[in-house]
Structure formats: structure tokens, C-alpha cells
Amino acid sequence: MQLHDVWFLLIAVLWIGYFFLEGFDFGVGILTRLLARDRAERRVLINTIGPVWDGNEVWLLTAGGATFAAFPDWYATLFSGFYLPLLVILVCLIVRGVAFEYRHKRTGERWQRSWELAIFWTSLLPAFLWGVAFANIVHGVDIDREKNYVGSFWDLLNPYAILGGLVTLALFTFHGAVFTALKTVGDIRLRARVLAQQLGLLTAVLALVFLVWTQAHRGDGWSLAALVVAVLALVGALLALRAGREGWAFLLSGLTVVAAVAMLFLSLFPDVMPSTLDPAYSLTVTNAASSPYTLKLMTVVAAVFTPIVLLYQAWTYWVFRKRIGVQHIPAEQG
């Protein structure tokens, strides 16, 4: 295996980790409007991800940085061609971070509701747009011989990409509902479990259509195996929810995310951005990669620092592992 293949695998792992962690993060943000009945319950939901949401975004920064360093042509074509949706995602992530930090600065009803509404929309939009972006990457876009994207913004909103966005939106919301059931106590926990089962059924329908479509378009034996794992994991998560086993349900909903995203990367390889104009114009792990020396240096740095980051994030989740409920929310904070 060449170093450019290794770095394609590592970037896939980074994106999988990001969607696993930020997936339930976005889901909880969406549930502040779908599940919470009052300010205290919205506070409970926000507190379940309060200690970890910023750490989850480190995976996105690392994935973007690794793509820039390991596959500069991929990075350049992706960010120039997908400029508008990626800009919307970036603005959402900025506003979302500000909303988490500023919501509790004042106790006024209007102040807090405005920031809560911001959390909802800046969770929903990226959850949808990431699916649109990755569906287009896998499906292929108009790339010319100079490795430039020559399509329009509206070309990105094709039926396959929109379905991909709906899948990630439903899957992340389902993942967030399972996480909420795992992290809360009382009535909100029970309602989260019921809502998770309903969302799981919707996700199953959307995901099955999308993944089968992907398999028919670009799939092979490995992507088919990932598809089967994703389907079985989702069914297992629903069964675990019915049995009241939130821990197993969360692991299996997470496995669903992992397998679904892995299937996209398995379907993509060895391309990194297929061209719909001419297969010869496609960006691949070979023609889009950095020099061997750059990849070798990156490998050494990653081997040193990656375990440190993983250990620190695991420690954070362990420290904040306990369940919370409305009884833990001081009355004056609402």
C-alpha cells in the first residue's frame, strides 16, 4: 500500500469520526425544538453536549487540514467548487459556537430563545448540507482537464445529493435522540427513546434507498459489505431501544453512521472526486496527492500526536459520563 492510499484511509477515518461525534451533536441541537417542551428541557439537551461539542469539531479541522496537506488538488477543487455550501456550513458552525457560549450570559426569555433558535438552525443546516456535499463527491461533478469544477451551484442540488442530505439529517437526528436517551433521566429520557424509534424507521427508509442507489452506481464488494453492516446496525439499534438498552442502541446507531460513511469512501476509492465530463479528468489518490516526502513527514507527525488527542477526548467523555435531568438545572438558569 502506497502512502497516498494510507492517507486516503486516514482522511476517511477522520471524516467517519467527525460524523460519528458531530452527528449526535447536531442531532441534539435539532432536538431542542423537536423534543424539549420548555426552557429547562432545552437546557438539559444543551448540557448533554456542552462539554464535548467543541472537541467534536476538532475532527473536522483535522480532516480539512489533512486533506489540504495530503491531497492539495482535491482540497482546491472541493473548496472552490463547493464554495457556497461550505461557506454556509462554516458560518453555521461559527454562529453555533457563539450561541452555546452566549445563551447563558443573560436570563431574559427573548435572549435565550433567540440563541436556542440559532442552535437549532445551525445544527439542522450543516446536518443536511454535509450529506449534499458528500453525495456529490461520490456521484461525481463537472471537473475539466485542468482539475477545475465548471458546474454551477444548482448542479449540486441534484436528486441524489438532496436524498443524501435528507439521509444525513435523519440519521444525525436519530443518533442525537439515542444519545439523549442515554444521557438523560426522567420523562425526557422516555420521550427521547420513543422519538428515536420513530426517527429510526424514517432513517431506515431513506438510508436504504440512498445506499442501494450508491451501490448500484459505484459500489463493489467492500461497499456492499459496509451497506449490510449499516442496515444490520440500524435494525439492532431499534431493537435495543425497544428493550430499553440505550447504551447498546447508541453504539449501534454510531456503527450505522460509521458503516454508512465508510461505504461512501469505499465506493469512491481510488477516486477522490470523479469527473462527470470525462473519467480521465477525475481526481484520484495518485494525481491529487502531495509529494512522497510530504506524506512521509505527515505520517510521522500523525503517529505522534493522534494518540494524545484521542486519549484526551476519551478522558473528556469519561469525566462527563453521568446522566442529567431537569432536576439538575438551577431555577434561575431556566
Side-chain angles (χ1 to χ4, degrees), residues 22-296:
E22 194 84 306
F24 71 74
D25 195 326
F26 286 144
V28 171
I30 295 169
L31 292 175
T32 58
R33 306 298 294 183
L34 300 183
L35 180 65
R37 292 177 173 174
D38 52 35
R39 291 175 62 186
E41 290 192 350
R42 285 191 290 274
R43 180 69 176 181
V44 168
L45 291 177
I46 293 171
N47 283 1
T48 62
I49 58 174
V52 298
W53 67 267
D54 48 354
N56 294 344
E57 292 185 357
V58 171
W59 288 76
L60 172 61
L61 299 176
T62 308
T67 304
F68 171 77
F71 299 99
D73 288 336
W74 183 13
Y75 182 94
T77 304
L78 175 64
F79 278 78
S80 60
F82 293 23
Y83 179 80
L84 185 55
L86 292 178
L87 177 62
V88 172
I89 291 174
L90 177 61
V91 171
C92 285
L93 294 180
I94 293 172
V95 173
R96 190 168 183 264
V98 173
F100 281 129
E101 297 297 331
Y102 274 75
R103 178 195 175 278
H104 66 280
K105 297 297 184 181
R106 292 168 55 182
T107 58
E109 177 75 16
R110 183 177 180 181
W111 173 270
Q112 294 199 353
R113 281 192 174 275
S114 296
W115 288 120
E116 288 165 0
L117 191 61
I119 290 172
F120 169 75
W121 283 110
T122 56
S123 298
L124 186 148
L125 288 175
F128 175 75
L129 290 175
W130 278 128
V132 171
F134 270 83
N136 274 296
I137 292 173
V138 173
H139 182 268
V141 292
D142 295 343
I143 300 174
D144 64 12
R145 67 170 62 248
E146 302 299 325
K147 301 180 181 178
N148 295 319
Y149 173 70
V150 294
S152 68
F153 167 75
W154 301 109
D155 292 333
L156 301 177
L157 298 179
N158 55 78
Y160 178 78
I162 292 175
L163 178 59
L166 293 176
V167 169
T168 52
L169 177 59
L171 180 56
F172 291 170
T173 309
F174 165 68
H175 194 32
V178 177
F179 179 77
T180 300
L182 176 65
K183 286 287 293 179
T184 57
V185 295
D187 182 60
I188 192 171
R189 172 189 177 188
L190 300 177
R191 285 188 282 112
R193 189 191 301 167
V194 173
L195 180 59
Q197 294 180 57
Q198 297 169 348
L199 290 169
L201 294 174
L202 174 62
T203 302
V205 174
L206 293 173
L208 186 60
V209 174
F210 177 74
L211 295 179
V212 169
W213 191 345
T214 303
Q215 179 65 25
H217 178 59
R218 290 187 59 91
D220 57 15
W222 288 105
S223 61
L224 178 61
L227 187 157
V228 172
V229 171
V231 172
L232 293 178
L234 182 54
V235 172
L238 291 172
L239 294 175
L241 284 170
R242 289 180 62 86
R245 304 295 296 272
E246 290 105 342
W248 281 106
F250 179 70
L251 289 176
L252 290 168
S253 69
L255 180 58
T256 305
V257 176
V258 169
V261 180
M263 181 189 174
L264 296 182
F265 279 95
L266 289 169
S267 301
L268 188 61
F269 185 82
D271 292 337
V272 293
M273 282 192 76
S275 172
T276 55
L277 298 180
D278 188 332
Y281 302 160
S282 297
L283 300 181
T284 68
V285 293
T286 303
N287 66 23
S290 294
S291 67
Y293 177 78
T294 300
L295 296 177
K296 186 181 296 184

